[in-house]
Amino acid sequence: MEKIISQIKEKIKSKYEEYLLKGNDFKAFEKYVKSSCDEMFLKVIKSFIEDLDNEIKLNEKREKRYVVQREADKLLTTTLGSFRYRRTKYYDKEEKRNRYLLDEKLEIPKYEHMTQLATASTNIYDTVPGVGMDCD
């Protein structure tokens, strides 16, 4: 954990110097740190999602029922931001239809581009006055 914190600190060191040592703008520094961390953790989420897709594809039991069709990109919005990930499209021999097993595993409905948590967060911002507003 300490190594990760050191890497994060190294990444944002120039903004620390700009905003806090040479200036007096903690708000800008805080926004930059949040943005940098969100970006980094989006990469972590994307990596795990694509690893899971690969695990599904390599599963021998999957081969008995599902045939790989092709790979396709999908845009996904999370509470941290949006990113594109690659997932595999399968043909289900039993149900005789195409499926994205990764999306089903992640509980992302067909044609949906937001995670359940991102959707819930958006709904909160829409219904609670003043929540999510940028108060510059």
Side-chain angles (χ1 to χ4, degrees):
M1 186 63 134
E2 291 299 319
K3 184 177 179 182
I4 294 170
I5 292 171
S6 294
Q7 290 173 339
I8 293 170
K9 285 178 72 174
E10 191 60 38
K11 178 177 169 51
I12 62 175
K13 188 175 183 176
S14 67
K15 295 299 179 180
Y16 163 75
E17 292 168 355
E18 178 184 340
Y19 293 135
L20 298 179
L21 290 180
K22 296 177 185 171
N24 191 21
D25 196 349
F26 183 72
K27 182 178 178 181
F29 179 70
E30 182 180 12
K31 284 182 176 181
Y32 179 78
V33 170
K34 181 183 181 329
S35 173
S36 296
C37 289
D38 287 354
E39 181 182 312
M40 181 175 41
F41 287 115
L42 273 175
K43 290 177 182 175
V44 170
I45 291 171
K46 177 182 177 179
S47 177
F48 275 115
I49 286 174
E50 289 180 343
D51 287 350
L52 179 57
D53 186 63
N54 196 45
E55 290 291 326
I56 293 168
K57 189 187 297 181
L58 297 176
N59 185 306
E60 290 179 13
K61 291 179 183 177
R62 187 264 322 148
E63 293 176 352
K64 294 175 184 168
R65 179 172 174 179
Y66 305 102
V67 178
V68 172
Q69 294 290 326
R70 63 181 175 90
E71 291 185 344
D73 288 344
K74 181 169 185 163
L75 178 68
L76 185 64
T77 299
T78 72
T79 56
L80 301 175
S82 298
F83 64 95
R84 288 195 173 281
Y85 67 98
R86 184 156 290 249
R87 80 254 208 266
T88 306
K89 181 177 183 179
Y90 297 92
Y91 179 74
D92 183 337
K93 296 179 212 176
E94 290 180 17
E95 294 184 18
K96 300 196 183 328
R97 67 182 181 104
N98 291 318
R99 298 172 69 172
Y100 288 99
L101 299 179
L102 176 65
D103 290 355
E104 292 175 20
K105 179 83 169 167
L106 298 175
E107 298 180 341
I108 301 171
K110 194 174 188 178
Y111 306 116
E112 184 62 52
H113 295 279
M114 293 181 78
T115 63
Q116 292 176 0
L117 190 55
T119 300
S121 296
T122 301
N123 291 339
I124 288 171
Y125 294 146
D126 290 344
T127 58
V128 179
V131 174
M133 306 293 265
D134 189 13
C135 302
D136 282 333

